[in-house]
Amino acid sequence: MTLTPTPRRGRARAGVRTVLLCAALLGLTAPTTVAAPASAEGPGGPGGPGGRDCARTERPLDARSRQVLDITRRAKDDLDLNSVEVRVTVDGREVLTDALGESMTGVPAEPDMHFRAGSVAFAHIATGLLQLVEEGTVRLDDTVERWLPDLPKADKITLRMLATNTTGLHDYVTDPAFLAELEAHPFRHWTPDELLAFPLSHPFWYEPGTNWSYSHANYLLLSQALEKITGAGIDTFMKERVWKPLGLRDTRNNVTPDIPRPVLHAFTSERGLYEESTFWNPSWTTAPGAVITTDVCDLARSAQAIGSGELLSPPSYRTLLDPGTVGLGHPTDTCPATICLPQTEAAHFGLGVLVVNGWVVQNPSFSGYAAIQAYLPSKRLAIAVSTTKTATTPAGNTAEVIAERISAKLSPANPLSLD
C-alpha cells in the first residue's frame, strides 16, 4: 500500500498496513456470490464457549498442518521476526495453532498471549451497526445530527458514510502535527476531542458521500453515535453483540497502556531507536471502549464469523461486503490521488472490512504490533496471524506476508494478495 511521508521512519496506522489503505488492492477479484456461513467451532475448540485455552495443536501434526507450520517458520526467518502467532481453520476446524520465537528475551511466545488488535474492532462495530439496522433501530442512511450535533455537515453525513469512510474528513493519523506529538510522547493519553481537533481544523476533502478516503475520525465518531443510539458504551455494544455470541473470551477493551496477561511484547524502531513499545498509550487509535486486545484463537474465530456473516442476515452480509463504495475513490481538485483511492469491484472497503480477491480482511499494524484476520468464504478458510519485530525486520505489516504465503498453499486458485 502507498506510504504517506511521516516524521522519521513513519508510523503505520492502526487499521491497515500503512497510513493509507487500499492503494495496493487494485487489480484483484472480489467475491461474486455469498457463501453460506461457516459453522461455529464446537465446544471443545479454542475460543468457543466452554472451550480449552488457546494452545498449540497437539502433535503429531498431519501433512497440511506441517505445511502451514513450515511456511510460518520460513517466513519468520525470512522476515527476521521476533515472534509469530498463527491459527488456521477450515470450516471452523483447526488446521494449526502455534507460536514461534520470543515475547521477550528468554520468554517463549505462546498462542494464548494477548496483543493489540486495532482495526479488528471496526469489523465488530460495523457488524453491530448492521444488527441495529435489522432491528429497525436506525437506518444506514440516517444523518447523524441528532447524535453528533456539533459535527460540521452532520445533516449531510450518514451512519453509512462514517462506517464506509466516505465523509470527506481528514485523517488525524496522517496529520504532521499529530504525528510529531505522537512520536515525541508515545505515552500521552489522548481524548476524542483532542484527536478530532486535527481533522476538524481542515476543510473536508469532498462533499460527504461523493468520494472515498480513509480517516480514523470516522470510526471514532461512529462509536460516539452508537453510544448515543444505544445508551451503552461501545465496549458493551461490541461485547453484547459480537464478543459474547462468538465466544471471544479473550477479546476486550483495553484503552489504557495495560494489556491482560499473558502479554506478547512488542518492539519497534519507529522513533529511530529499537525499543519496547508494548505499553505505549493506545488511546489515539480509536474511540475509548474500542481499543481492543485479543489472542490468535479469538482472532481466527473473528475472521471466520465476520467473514461469513454469521451474526447477520444474508442481506446485511451483502451490505457488509459491498455497502456502496465500489466505484468511489478518484482524485479531484481538492483531493489528491494519494488520499482519494479507487474502490473497485476487485478490492474495496466494505463496512468495517476490506474485501480483497474474495477475502474478507482486517489488518491492524501499529506500535510494533502487526496482525491480520482473513477469511475466504468460498473455501471457509480462516487465517489469523500476529507478529512482532526485531531491529532488522522489514517495514510493513509482516503478518500479511505470512497470511499471503499460507493462502497460496491452501487456496492456490484464490490466494490473498495485499501488495
Side-chain angles (χ1 to χ4, degrees), residues 369-410:
Y369 286 108
I372 186 169
Q373 66 170 49
Y375 185 77
L376 183 61
S378 62
K379 299 289 187 181
R380 299 187 177 183
L381 169 61
I383 301 174
V385 181
S386 173
T387 61
T388 60
K389 305 175 181 180
T390 67
T392 55
T393 298
N397 186 325
T398 51
E400 290 179 1
V401 177
I402 297 173
E404 288 170 349
R405 294 184 185 184
I406 293 171
S407 76
K409 173 60 69 173
L410 299 186

Side-chain angles (χ1 to χ4, degrees), residues 238-258:
M238 289 190 289
K239 181 178 180 180
E240 294 302 316
R241 292 184 171 272
V242 178
W243 304 342
K244 284 178 64 175
L246 298 182
L248 303 183
R249 298 176 303 163
D250 289 292
T251 301
R252 66 199 71 178
N253 168 51
N254 283 283
V255 71
T256 73
D258 196 19

Side-chain angles (χ1 to χ4, degrees), residues 70-126:
D70 287 345
I71 290 168
T72 305
R73 282 174 173 161
R74 287 195 297 271
K76 179 185 178 299
D77 291 341
D78 292 346
L79 300 169
D80 199 14
L81 294 168
N82 200 48
S83 72
V84 180
E85 297 186 336
V86 60
R87 180 166 166 82
V88 176
T89 65
V90 175
D91 204 15
R93 297 178 179 86
E94 179 184 67
V95 174
L96 180 75
T97 304
D98 215 321
L100 309 176
E102 295 183 319
S103 173
M104 298 184 291
T105 303
V107 180
E110 300 290 346
D112 64 347
M113 286 180 167
H114 301 101
F115 50 86
R116 298 202 182 280
S119 58
V120 169
F122 300 166
H124 299 171
I125 290 169

Side-chain angles (χ1 to χ4, degrees), residues 357-371:
N357 199 28
W359 293 78
V360 185
V361 178
Q362 260 299 353
N363 52 348
S365 178
F366 67 105
S367 299
Y369 286 108

Side-chain angles (χ1 to χ4, degrees), residues 171-245:
D171 187 3
Y172 59 84
V173 174
T174 63
D175 191 301
F178 170 78
L179 287 166
E181 177 64 18
L182 185 62
E183 180 171 310
H185 303 288
F187 296 101
R188 172 177 171 174
H189 182 84
W190 293 84
T191 68
D193 287 345
E194 289 170 340
L195 296 171
L196 291 171
F198 291 98
L200 295 179
S201 69
H202 300 282
F204 282 60
W205 289 117
Y206 47 83
E207 281 299 302
T210 63
N211 211 330
W212 188 94
S213 57
Y214 189 84
S215 173
H216 282 72
N218 289 318
Y219 269 79
L220 197 162
L221 289 163
L222 179 60
S223 296
Q224 291 182 335
L226 288 170
E227 289 182 335
K228 295 284 185 65
I229 292 165
T230 64
I234 197 66
D235 53 339
T236 299
F237 178 80
M238 289 190 289
K239 181 178 180 180
E240 294 302 316
R241 292 184 171 272
V242 178
W243 304 342
K244 284 178 64 175

